[in-house]
Amino acid sequence: MSRRRKRRSGEEVELNLAAMLDMAFQLLTFFILTFKPAPVEGQINLRLPPPVGITRAGGSDAGTDFNAKEPPKGLTTLVISAFSQRDGSLAQLAVGETPVGTLSALDNRLQTVFADKSTPFDQVIIYVGPELRYDELMRVIEVCTRQRLPDGSRLSKLSFVEMPSGG
Amino acid sequence: MSELESGEGKPNLTPILDMVFQLITFFMLVINFKSAALDLNLKLPVVGSARPVDTKGQESLLILNVDSQGDINVYGRKQPVKEYIAREAMAALIGAKRSQPDLEFGQELPTMVVIRADRTTPFKALNRVIMECQQNGFIRFALKAINREEKG
């Protein structure tokens, strides 16, 4: 008891910081070596339901209802085609059966189509060439998602269909 | 006799320790373990309108790294597309059933599929992944891209 009292009154207790500093440097080295900042990535959010047959309505195929007198009402579908070249680049675009030369022409055409409020589309299908590269496809998707629907919302619901080889 | 004269001078380690702890705190705060799930070897396409979206962790995500061959890389290992997506769909369904007990297999899953595909991936390879996801109930997708070309 008396010894402890003496030390308290006479000597200064010094912490050995060297060991703590060693450990801190090791931790620091670990964090510096494992530090890899994640790249800033953007994204385009889409709903991609599987495409539905355009001559199908109300879950029935054409000709299945014997008593039906009216022809089956098809889904109003906007078809956009993106043809690819062998190297994966974009060869040709079309809206319906109308060819459009460039992405800006596609933009103009889609604006005209969506401005017509009398024909709201049930689905938008993009037919894509099998070799089309992802970056080329994203340019087409970017143009599509820029469009405003008659209700004011942006087009975010698409369906993809792969063209047969050679398309 | 001063410390210098006696040759017993001790450096004051407290400031350096303070600085080191501050650096450690900084690195601990900025470390992001989620980035381990990202395959940083992929070259994402450049799309000007692609914007970062912060879901604030409230949305369950399925991140698919699709390389130029159409294979899925998970933590650096290739996974079979069909089996991997089916397994993840089952896990997503089990997770979603906690909040929606009526949810059945084949119905739309609330999980968002984040596709990080290489810019050279042909559509036929990408479409195989997308169709597999659709068949397992995934409808919501996020296609990843970068805003501008990275230097280097």
Side-chain angles (χ1 to χ4, degrees):
Chain A
M1 242 355 209
S2 60
R3 269 186 197 170
R4 195 176 284 174
R5 273 180 196 160
K6 268 184 190 174
R7 187 180 279 178
R8 272 188 186 168
S9 59
E11 296 173 19
E12 280 187 20
V13 178
E14 284 187 11
L15 278 171
N16 185 6
L17 294 180
M20 190 180 258
L21 195 61
D22 285 350
M23 185 203 69
F25 267 120
Q26 283 193 19
L27 277 171
L28 183 62
T29 312
F30 167 77
F31 281 115
I32 288 175
L33 291 178
T34 56
F35 181 63
K36 199 171 187 180
V40 180
E41 294 177 0
Q43 64 189 43
I44 294 179
N45 290 347
L46 291 173
R47 286 181 66 81
L48 300 178
V52 180
I54 57 174
T55 57
R56 188 182 240 202
S60 61
D61 288 317
T64 52
D65 187 359
F66 183 75
N67 297 317
K69 292 176 182 171
E70 296 291 322
K73 188 185 169 190
L75 292 178
T76 317
T77 305
L78 176 66
V79 175
I80 301 167
S81 305
F83 299 90
S84 63
Q85 289 178 336
R86 279 184 181 278
D87 64 351
S89 58
L90 195 59
Q92 177 73 46
L93 289 161
V95 178
E97 294 182 359
T98 311
V100 285
T102 59
L103 286 167
S104 57
L106 174 70
D107 192 16
N108 292 335
R109 178 81 187 121
L110 289 179
Q111 281 180 24
T112 311
V113 168
F114 285 114
D116 185 3
K117 294 182 181 177
S118 61
T119 55
F121 291 101
D122 297 314
Q123 62 174 345
V124 177
I125 295 181
I126 305 182
Y127 282 82
V128 188
E131 299 300 330
L132 192 73
R133 289 195 314 264
Y134 180 54
D135 58 344
E136 298 278 8
L137 175 66
M138 283 295 274
R139 288 167 62 206
V140 178
I141 293 172
E142 186 189 19
V143 172
C144 293
T145 52
R146 220 185 284 156
Q147 307 307 318
R148 292 235 175 238
L149 298 173
D151 63 358
S153 62
R154 284 196 187 278
L155 174 65
S156 61
K157 189 178 166 190
L158 300 169
S159 297
F160 293 124
V161 175
E162 186 180 330
M163 287 181 190
S165 292
Chain B
M1 216 185 209
S2 69
E3 281 188 344
L4 278 175
E5 285 168 342
S6 65
E8 292 178 4
K10 287 181 182 175
N12 186 2
L13 295 178
T14 313
I16 197 170
L17 196 61
D18 286 350
M19 187 199 69
V20 169
F21 270 120
Q22 283 195 22
L23 283 170
I24 289 173
T25 312
F26 167 75
F27 281 109
M28 283 176 73
L29 290 177
V30 298
I31 200 165
N32 184 5
F33 291 105
K34 275 186 183 174
S35 64
L38 309 180
D39 184 355
L40 298 178
N41 295 322
L42 295 174
K43 293 196 83 176
L44 299 184
V46 182
V47 176
S49 65
R51 294 279 173 271
V53 177
D54 186 11
T55 59
K56 291 171 182 163
Q58 292 182 349
E59 203 158 18
S60 58
L61 303 174
L62 169 61
I63 298 174
L64 299 180
N65 298 295
V66 185
D67 65 13
S68 56
Q69 309 300 316
D71 294 319
I72 294 177
N73 287 323
V74 182
Y75 293 102
R77 301 178 79 174
K78 285 187 181 177
Q79 298 284 341
V81 174
K82 201 177 173 73
E83 288 81 359
Y84 179 72
I85 293 174
R87 208 164 52 230
E88 289 295 322
M90 194 52 72
L93 179 66
I94 292 167
K97 266 182 173 284
R98 286 185 209 131
S99 54
Q100 304 172 51
D102 300 336
L103 199 67
E104 295 294 331
F105 181 78
Q107 288 181 314
E108 181 182 334
L109 292 169
T111 303
M112 179 180 275
V113 179
V114 179
I115 291 191
R116 297 182 74 256
D118 194 274
R119 62 178 69 168
T120 59
T121 309
F123 177 71
K124 62 184 176 190
L126 185 68
N127 196 35
R128 190 166 64 101
V129 175
I130 292 175
M131 284 172 66
E132 205 60 54
C133 290
Q134 288 170 338
Q135 283 167 14
N136 283 281
F138 295 111
I139 302 293
R140 302 171 65 204
F141 288 81
L143 305 179
K144 284 280 184 183
I146 50 175
N147 297 116
R148 55 177 176 267
E149 194 72 59
E150 286 178 348
K151 290 175 185 172

